[in-house]
Amino acid sequence: MFVNCCHCSWCRRETGSAFVINAIIEADRVILTKGEVVRSELPTASGRGQAVLRCASCGTALWSHYSGAGPKISFVRAGTLDDPGQCPPDAFIFTADKLPWVQLTPGIPAFPERYDLKTQWPAESLARRTAAQASST
Ligand SMILES: [Zn+2]
């Protein structure tokens, strides 16, 4: 639905890198094809927390559920995909915390902290998000 590139200090610490790339998609479209995941609860900049699902074998963070979006929305770590190039960021967020040597891509919206979903997400993505959150599965 949308791809966030987050530069907040929590994402930096949790990835051990300069930022995280989260591809936001309906949770029921994320299918575990092999292995197992383990869940850990981690803090976020908002203070509301997130549940991170990791590969039980190697510990790599695969996706998470943020308290704000709820359990029916998954934030997939795009760097773990077979072709991460298919998920370029739609927005840079928490750029106030970005490391000084990171250069943002011109033309991609950048925000010091969060953005307003209603003004940044395409209407189709907003409709998908609403439908997913309202679903009973
Ligand atoms: Zn973050």
Side-chain angles (χ1 to χ4, degrees):
M1 297 181 280
F2 206 80
V3 180
N4 283 342
C5 180
C6 185
H7 293 263
C8 84
S9 58
W10 288 110
C11 286
R12 193 161 59 235
R13 216 168 278 136
E14 288 159 9
T15 58
S17 188
F19 51 80
V20 71
I21 305 170
N22 280 322
I24 307 169
I25 190 169
E26 295 90 337
D28 64 5
R29 298 192 190 192
V30 178
I31 298 164
L32 189 66
T33 55
K34 63 179 178 181
E36 289 177 25
V37 291
V38 291
R39 182 185 175 106
S40 52
E41 306 290 333
L42 294 177
T44 58
S46 72
R48 296 164 75 184
Q50 65 170 314
V52 178
L53 287 300
R54 299 176 181 281
C55 169
S57 175
C58 72
T60 299
L62 299 171
W63 72 85
S64 59
H65 301 289
Y66 285 84
S67 298
K72 292 173 183 170
I73 306 293
S74 293
F75 288 64
V76 176
R77 302 292 186 269
T80 67
L81 299 174
D82 289 339
D83 187 1
Q86 288 190 18
C87 289
D90 292 307
F92 297 110
I93 61 174
F94 285 94
T95 58
D97 293 340
K98 114 181 151 48
L99 295 179
W101 46 264
V102 172
Q103 305 272 321
L104 300 180
T105 309
I108 297 177
F111 303 90
E113 294 185 6
R114 292 177 193 80
Y115 54 75
D116 177 18
L117 257 66
K118 291 184 178 70
T119 60
Q120 295 304 314
W121 280 36
E124 184 198 343
S125 296
L126 284 170
R128 283 173 57 187
R129 183 179 189 270
T130 300
Q133 290 176 324
S135 70
S136 58
T137 52

